[in-house]
Amino acid sequence: EAGVAQSPRYKIIEKRQSVAFWCNPISGHATLYWYQQILGQGPKLLIQFQNNGVVDDSQLPKDRFSAERLKGVDSTLKIQPAKLEDSAVYLCASSPLTSGETQYFGPGTRLLVL
Amino acid sequence: AQSVSQHNHHVILSEAASLELGCNYSYGGTVNLFWYVQYPGQHLQLLLKYFSGDPLVKGIKGFEAEFIKSKFSFNLRKPSVQWSDTAEYFCAVKASGTYKYIFGTGTRLKVLA
């Protein structure tokens, strides 16, 4: 079974630029999560989708971050414009509805904003 | 608001030593509890989880955790660590009936051979 795929793995941008991350969850997984993990901290949930609907985005900075999950499969997370404090690893995870909510994580995208 | 505390940020042990990593949460209702592990260069993966029933939960690689409701704790234990247990360990909590996971800040474990 293929795991959660994310791209790119690394990205360096200057502040005020925009950036997009892509995630392809495990096939058949209905739930998809985006997390932000700042160095020295645990993952912080940004947004959670169930199929193509948003179930929680309370911690998503909506003035600059956006995410979509068209057709309930893969997802993109965008930052526009980026700030220095957005430097972090962005993790995508997925889970099937019947797994007892175990999350399967991708390798993450490491973002550095200069 | 929910929160999760992992008091040990860095732990160094020799092989065969016993391990206990603390995890405390703040939430008065029913919770689901998880320990995730990230080995060097690998993805975060589930170590064990508690939803209900026996408060002593056994996971992969000889790890176990005990849910003590009165102490709002879910500490991770292993009787004898190996060099291969070197990793970062994260406790996570989800309030039942909600969607939001809260992760702790993680504990970096280094096991000396």
Side-chain angles (χ1 to χ4, degrees):
Chain A
E1 177 181 76
V4 176
Q6 290 187 247
S7 68
R9 294 294 309 277
Y10 305 92
K11 190 76 177 177
I12 301 174
I13 61 172
E14 294 188 348
K15 61 183 179 184
R16 291 187 289 272
Q17 287 187 319
S18 60
V19 65
F21 312 127
W22 175 81
C23 172
N24 192 22
I26 292 173
S27 177
H29 281 195
T31 309
L32 185 148
Y33 313 79
W34 281 104
Y35 288 89
Q36 179 193 58
Q37 186 175 15
I38 293 172
L39 189 64
Q41 299 181 20
K44 181 180 88 170
L45 181 67
L46 293 176
I47 188 167
Q48 180 179 343
F49 293 93
Q50 193 143 302
N51 296 309
N52 59 348
V54 175
V55 295
D56 188 286
D57 63 355
S58 56
Q59 298 191 101
L60 186 74
K62 297 180 185 67
D63 57 334
R64 297 184 301 105
F65 286 64
S66 64
E68 60 182 9
R69 190 183 184 197
L70 299 175
K71 301 180 182 178
V73 183
D74 56 350
S75 175
T76 55
L77 175 71
K78 295 179 182 177
I79 307 175
Q80 182 178 9
K83 293 184 175 182
L84 297 177
E85 58 261 36
D86 299 331
S87 294
V89 176
Y90 290 85
L91 296 167
C92 180
S94 69
S95 67
L97 285 176
T98 57
S99 74
E101 302 187 67
T102 298
Q103 296 182 60
Y104 298 83
F105 284 84
T109 296
R110 190 174 296 273
L111 173 67
L112 179 61
V113 182
L114 302 175
Chain B
Q2 287 173 253
S3 67
V4 179
S5 297
Q6 291 183 246
H7 305 295
N8 314 103
H9 298 295
H10 292 90
V11 173
I12 301 175
L13 295 172
S14 297
E15 273 194 316
S18 63
L19 170 71
E20 181 159 5
L21 301 182
C23 173
N24 287 90
Y25 65 93
S26 64
Y27 182 72
T30 303
V31 292
N32 306 136
L33 298 158
F34 307 82
W35 276 97
Y36 282 84
V37 62
Q38 187 165 26
Y39 297 104
Q42 296 188 27
H43 310 174
L44 269 168
Q45 59 184 283
L46 183 71
L47 202 53
L48 48 79
K49 62 185 178 184
Y50 172 80
F51 273 49
S52 62
D54 188 345
L56 185 61
V57 179
K58 295 194 184 298
I60 60 172
K61 304 187 180 185
F63 285 90
E64 64 180 31
E66 185 175 13
F67 171 48
I68 302 179
K69 189 174 181 180
S70 60
K71 294 185 177 180
F72 299 91
S73 70
F74 190 54
N75 292 355
L76 181 70
R77 300 194 294 245
K78 186 171 184 179
S80 176
V81 294
Q82 300 174 306
W83 177 81
S84 58
D85 294 324
T86 294
E88 190 159 17
Y89 294 81
F90 293 92
C91 181
V93 174
K94 189 182 84 67
S96 294
T98 73
Y99 296 101
K100 190 178 298 181
Y101 283 78
I102 307 292
F103 277 78
T105 53
T107 297
R108 283 186 186 270
L109 171 66
K110 186 176 177 66
V111 180
L112 304 175

Short mmCIF file of all heavy atoms in Angstrom, two decimals, chain B residues 58-95:
data_model
loop_
_atom_site.label_atom_id
_atom_site.label_comp_id
_atom_site.label_asym_id
_atom_site.label_seq_id
_atom_site.Cartn_x
_atom_site.Cartn_y
_atom_site.Cartn_z
N LYS B 58 -1.11 -1.73 24.99
CA LYS B 58 0.17 -2.22 24.45
C LYS B 58 0.27 -1.83 22.98
O LYS B 58 -0.70 -1.91 22.22
CB LYS B 58 0.27 -3.72 24.63
CG LYS B 58 0.32 -4.13 26.11
CD LYS B 58 0.75 -5.56 26.30
CE LYS B 58 0.70 -5.95 27.78
NZ LYS B 58 1.61 -5.14 28.60
N GLY B 59 1.47 -1.37 22.61
CA GLY B 59 1.69 -0.97 21.23
C GLY B 59 2.78 -1.79 20.58
O GLY B 59 3.13 -2.87 21.05
N ILE B 60 3.32 -1.22 19.52
CA ILE B 60 4.37 -1.92 18.78
C ILE B 60 5.70 -1.81 19.51
O ILE B 60 5.88 -0.94 20.36
CB ILE B 60 4.51 -1.36 17.35
CG1 ILE B 60 4.86 0.13 17.37
CG2 ILE B 60 3.22 -1.61 16.56
CD1 ILE B 60 5.21 0.71 16.01
N LYS B 61 6.60 -2.73 19.20
CA LYS B 61 7.98 -2.70 19.67
C LYS B 61 8.12 -2.71 21.18
O LYS B 61 9.08 -2.16 21.72
CB LYS B 61 8.73 -1.51 19.05
CG LYS B 61 8.67 -1.51 17.54
CD LYS B 61 9.54 -0.44 16.92
CE LYS B 61 9.43 -0.51 15.39
NZ LYS B 61 10.33 0.42 14.70
N GLY B 62 7.18 -3.31 21.87
CA GLY B 62 7.29 -3.48 23.32
C GLY B 62 6.87 -2.28 24.15
O GLY B 62 7.06 -2.26 25.37
N PHE B 63 6.33 -1.26 23.51
CA PHE B 63 5.88 -0.08 24.24
C PHE B 63 4.48 -0.31 24.83
O PHE B 63 3.68 -1.05 24.28
CB PHE B 63 5.83 1.14 23.32
CG PHE B 63 7.18 1.71 23.00
CD1 PHE B 63 7.89 1.26 21.90
CD2 PHE B 63 7.75 2.68 23.81
CE1 PHE B 63 9.14 1.77 21.60
CE2 PHE B 63 9.00 3.20 23.52
CZ PHE B 63 9.70 2.75 22.41
N GLU B 64 4.23 0.35 25.93
CA GLU B 64 2.90 0.35 26.51
C GLU B 64 2.64 1.72 27.14
O GLU B 64 3.57 2.50 27.37
CB GLU B 64 2.74 -0.74 27.58
CG GLU B 64 3.64 -0.57 28.78
CD GLU B 64 3.44 -1.68 29.81
OE1 GLU B 64 3.11 -2.82 29.44
OE2 GLU B 64 3.62 -1.39 31.01
N ALA B 65 1.37 2.01 27.36
CA ALA B 65 1.01 3.27 28.00
C ALA B 65 -0.17 3.02 28.91
O ALA B 65 -1.02 2.17 28.64
CB ALA B 65 0.68 4.34 26.97
N GLU B 66 -0.24 3.77 29.98
CA GLU B 66 -1.31 3.63 30.95
C GLU B 66 -2.09 4.93 31.05
O GLU B 66 -1.52 5.99 31.31
CB GLU B 66 -0.79 3.23 32.32
CG GLU B 66 -1.92 2.95 33.31
CD GLU B 66 -1.42 2.43 34.64
OE1 GLU B 66 -0.20 2.51 34.91
OE2 GLU B 66 -2.26 1.96 35.42
N PHE B 67 -3.39 4.82 30.86
CA PHE B 67 -4.29 5.96 31.00
C PHE B 67 -4.75 6.03 32.44
O PHE B 67 -5.36 5.08 32.95
CB PHE B 67 -5.49 5.79 30.06
CG PHE B 67 -6.60 6.79 30.25
CD1 PHE B 67 -6.33 8.14 30.34
CD2 PHE B 67 -7.92 6.37 30.34
CE1 PHE B 67 -7.36 9.07 30.50
CE2 PHE B 67 -8.96 7.28 30.51
CZ PHE B 67 -8.67 8.63 30.61
N ILE B 68 -4.42 7.12 33.13
CA ILE B 68 -4.90 7.33 34.49
C ILE B 68 -5.80 8.55 34.46
O ILE B 68 -5.33 9.70 34.43
CB ILE B 68 -3.74 7.52 35.49
CG1 ILE B 68 -2.81 6.30 35.45
CG2 ILE B 68 -4.29 7.70 36.90
CD1 ILE B 68 -1.62 6.38 36.38
N LYS B 69 -7.10 8.29 34.46
CA LYS B 69 -8.07 9.37 34.26
C LYS B 69 -7.99 10.42 35.36
O LYS B 69 -8.08 11.62 35.08
CB LYS B 69 -9.48 8.77 34.20
CG LYS B 69 -10.55 9.76 33.77
CD LYS B 69 -11.88 9.06 33.58
CE LYS B 69 -12.94 10.06 33.13
NZ LYS B 69 -14.26 9.39 32.94
N SER B 70 -7.77 9.96 36.60
CA SER B 70 -7.76 10.89 37.73
C SER B 70 -6.57 11.84 37.67
O SER B 70 -6.61 12.92 38.26
CB SER B 70 -7.74 10.12 39.05
OG SER B 70 -6.58 9.30 39.11
N LYS B 71 -5.54 11.44 36.96
CA LYS B 71 -4.34 12.26 36.85
C LYS B 71 -4.23 12.92 35.47
O LYS B 71 -3.25 13.61 35.20
CB LYS B 71 -3.09 11.43 37.10
CG LYS B 71 -2.97 10.90 38.52
CD LYS B 71 -1.64 10.17 38.74
CE LYS B 71 -1.51 9.71 40.18
NZ LYS B 71 -0.23 8.99 40.41
N PHE B 72 -5.21 12.70 34.62
CA PHE B 72 -5.18 13.25 33.25
C PHE B 72 -3.84 12.91 32.59
O PHE B 72 -3.21 13.75 31.95
CB PHE B 72 -5.40 14.77 33.27
CG PHE B 72 -6.71 15.17 33.86
CD1 PHE B 72 -6.84 15.45 35.21
CD2 PHE B 72 -7.84 15.26 33.05
CE1 PHE B 72 -8.06 15.80 35.76
CE2 PHE B 72 -9.07 15.62 33.59
CZ PHE B 72 -9.19 15.89 34.95
N SER B 73 -3.41 11.66 32.76
CA SER B 73 -2.11 11.29 32.23
C SER B 73 -2.19 10.07 31.33
O SER B 73 -3.11 9.24 31.45
CB SER B 73 -1.13 11.01 33.37
OG SER B 73 -1.47 9.82 34.05
N PHE B 74 -1.21 9.97 30.45
CA PHE B 74 -1.11 8.85 29.51
C PHE B 74 0.38 8.64 29.27
O PHE B 74 0.92 8.95 28.21
CB PHE B 74 -1.86 9.17 28.22
CG PHE B 74 -2.01 8.01 27.28
CD1 PHE B 74 -2.58 6.81 27.69
CD2 PHE B 74 -1.61 8.11 25.95
CE1 PHE B 74 -2.75 5.74 26.83
CE2 PHE B 74 -1.77 7.05 25.06
CZ PHE B 74 -2.34 5.87 25.51
N ASN B 75 1.07 8.11 30.25
CA ASN B 75 2.52 7.97 30.18
C ASN B 75 2.93 6.75 29.37
O ASN B 75 2.32 5.69 29.45
CB ASN B 75 3.11 7.88 31.59
CG ASN B 75 2.97 9.19 32.35
OD1 ASN B 75 2.53 10.20 31.81
ND2 ASN B 75 3.35 9.16 33.62
N LEU B 76 4.00 6.92 28.64
CA LEU B 76 4.54 5.86 27.78
C LEU B 76 5.65 5.15 28.51
O LEU B 76 6.51 5.80 29.13
CB LEU B 76 5.07 6.48 26.49
CG LEU B 76 5.66 5.52 25.45
CD1 LEU B 76 4.55 4.68 24.81
CD2 LEU B 76 6.41 6.30 24.37
N ARG B 77 5.69 3.81 28.41
CA ARG B 77 6.72 3.05 29.12
C ARG B 77 7.30 1.96 28.22
O ARG B 77 6.63 1.46 27.30
CB ARG B 77 6.13 2.39 30.37
CG ARG B 77 5.55 3.36 31.38
CD ARG B 77 5.30 2.70 32.71
NE ARG B 77 4.28 1.67 32.63
CZ ARG B 77 3.11 1.73 33.25
NH1 ARG B 77 2.80 2.80 33.97
NH2 ARG B 77 2.24 0.75 33.15
N LYS B 78 8.54 1.63 28.53
CA LYS B 78 9.16 0.46 27.93
C LYS B 78 10.17 -0.07 28.94
O LYS B 78 10.99 0.71 29.45
CB LYS B 78 9.85 0.79 26.60
CG LYS B 78 10.38 -0.45 25.89
CD LYS B 78 10.86 -0.14 24.48
CE LYS B 78 11.29 -1.45 23.81
NZ LYS B 78 11.75 -1.23 22.41
N PRO B 79 10.11 -1.36 29.27
CA PRO B 79 10.97 -1.89 30.34
C PRO B 79 12.45 -1.86 30.02
O PRO B 79 13.27 -1.69 30.91
CB PRO B 79 10.48 -3.33 30.52
CG PRO B 79 9.34 -3.53 29.61
CD PRO B 79 9.17 -2.34 28.75
N SER B 80 12.80 -2.02 28.74
CA SER B 80 14.21 -2.11 28.38
C SER B 80 14.39 -1.52 26.97
O SER B 80 13.97 -2.12 25.98
CB SER B 80 14.65 -3.59 28.40
OG SER B 80 15.98 -3.72 27.96
N VAL B 81 15.00 -0.34 26.91
CA VAL B 81 15.11 0.33 25.61
C VAL B 81 16.29 -0.21 24.81
O VAL B 81 17.26 -0.75 25.37
CB VAL B 81 15.26 1.86 25.76
CG1 VAL B 81 13.98 2.46 26.33
CG2 VAL B 81 16.48 2.22 26.60
N GLN B 82 16.18 -0.04 23.50
CA GLN B 82 17.25 -0.44 22.59
C GLN B 82 17.74 0.80 21.84
O GLN B 82 17.03 1.81 21.75
CB GLN B 82 16.71 -1.46 21.58
CG GLN B 82 16.18 -2.72 22.22
CD GLN B 82 15.52 -3.64 21.20
OE1 GLN B 82 14.63 -3.22 20.48
NE2 GLN B 82 15.98 -4.87 21.15
N TRP B 83 18.92 0.68 21.27
CA TRP B 83 19.50 1.79 20.51
C TRP B 83 18.53 2.24 19.42
O TRP B 83 18.37 3.43 19.13
CB TRP B 83 20.83 1.34 19.91
CG TRP B 83 21.46 2.37 19.04
CD1 TRP B 83 22.20 3.45 19.43
CD2 TRP B 83 21.41 2.41 17.61
NE1 TRP B 83 22.62 4.17 18.33
CE2 TRP B 83 22.14 3.55 17.21
CE3 TRP B 83 20.82 1.60 16.64
CZ2 TRP B 83 22.30 3.90 15.87
CZ3 TRP B 83 20.98 1.95 15.31
CH2 TRP B 83 21.71 3.08 14.94
N SER B 84 17.79 1.28 18.84
CA SER B 84 16.87 1.58 17.75
C SER B 84 15.63 2.36 18.21
O SER B 84 14.82 2.77 17.38
CB SER B 84 16.42 0.30 17.05
OG SER B 84 15.81 -0.58 17.98
N ASP B 85 15.47 2.54 19.51
CA ASP B 85 14.34 3.36 20.00
C ASP B 85 14.65 4.85 19.97
O ASP B 85 13.79 5.67 20.30
CB ASP B 85 13.97 2.95 21.44
CG ASP B 85 13.43 1.54 21.52
OD1 ASP B 85 12.70 1.12 20.58
OD2 ASP B 85 13.71 0.84 22.53
N THR B 86 15.86 5.20 19.58
CA THR B 86 16.22 6.60 19.44
C THR B 86 15.27 7.25 18.44
O THR B 86 15.17 6.83 17.29
CB THR B 86 17.67 6.74 18.95
OG1 THR B 86 18.54 6.26 19.97
CG2 THR B 86 18.01 8.19 18.62
N ALA B 87 14.54 8.27 18.90
CA ALA B 87 13.48 8.87 18.08
C ALA B 87 12.88 10.04 18.85
O ALA B 87 13.25 10.31 19.99
CB ALA B 87 12.38 7.84 17.79
N GLU B 88 11.91 10.69 18.21
CA GLU B 88 11.13 11.71 18.89
C GLU B 88 9.72 11.16 19.10
O GLU B 88 9.13 10.58 18.19
CB GLU B 88 11.08 13.01 18.10
CG GLU B 88 10.47 14.15 18.88
CD GLU B 88 10.85 15.53 18.37
OE1 GLU B 88 11.31 15.62 17.21
OE2 GLU B 88 10.67 16.50 19.12
N TYR B 89 9.21 11.33 20.30
CA TYR B 89 7.93 10.76 20.70
C TYR B 89 6.93 11.88 20.99
O TYR B 89 7.23 12.81 21.74
CB TYR B 89 8.10 9.87 21.93
CG TYR B 89 8.95 8.65 21.64
CD1 TYR B 89 10.34 8.73 21.63
CD2 TYR B 89 8.36 7.41 21.36
CE1 TYR B 89 11.12 7.62 21.32
CE2 TYR B 89 9.13 6.30 21.06
CZ TYR B 89 10.50 6.42 21.05
OH TYR B 89 11.28 5.31 20.75
N PHE B 90 5.75 11.76 20.39
CA PHE B 90 4.71 12.76 20.55
C PHE B 90 3.46 12.15 21.15
O PHE B 90 2.97 11.13 20.66
CB PHE B 90 4.34 13.39 19.21
CG PHE B 90 5.41 14.20 18.58
CD1 PHE B 90 6.30 13.64 17.68
CD2 PHE B 90 5.54 15.55 18.87
CE1 PHE B 90 7.30 14.38 17.10
CE2 PHE B 90 6.53 16.31 18.28
CZ PHE B 90 7.42 15.73 17.39
N CYS B 91 2.94 12.79 22.16
CA CYS B 91 1.64 12.44 22.72
C CYS B 91 0.58 13.30 22.04
O CYS B 91 0.84 14.48 21.74
CB CYS B 91 1.67 12.71 24.23
SG CYS B 91 0.16 12.32 25.10
N ALA B 92 -0.59 12.74 21.78
CA ALA B 92 -1.66 13.52 21.15
C ALA B 92 -2.99 13.17 21.79
O ALA B 92 -3.20 12.03 22.24
CB ALA B 92 -1.71 13.24 19.65
N VAL B 93 -3.86 14.14 21.83
CA VAL B 93 -5.17 13.99 22.47
C VAL B 93 -6.24 14.50 21.53
O VAL B 93 -6.05 15.51 20.84
CB VAL B 93 -5.21 14.81 23.78
CG1 VAL B 93 -6.61 14.79 24.37
CG2 VAL B 93 -4.21 14.30 24.78
N LYS B 94 -7.35 13.79 21.50
CA LYS B 94 -8.51 14.27 20.75
C LYS B 94 -9.73 14.11 21.64
O LYS B 94 -9.99 13.02 22.16
CB LYS B 94 -8.70 13.48 19.46
CG LYS B 94 -9.77 14.06 18.55
CD LYS B 94 -9.96 13.22 17.31
CE LYS B 94 -10.91 12.08 17.55
NZ LYS B 94 -12.30 12.51 17.80
N ALA B 95 -10.44 15.19 21.84
CA ALA B 95 -11.67 15.11 22.62
C ALA B 95 -12.72 14.35 21.83
O ALA B 95 -12.91 14.61 20.63
CB ALA B 95 -12.17 16.51 22.96
#
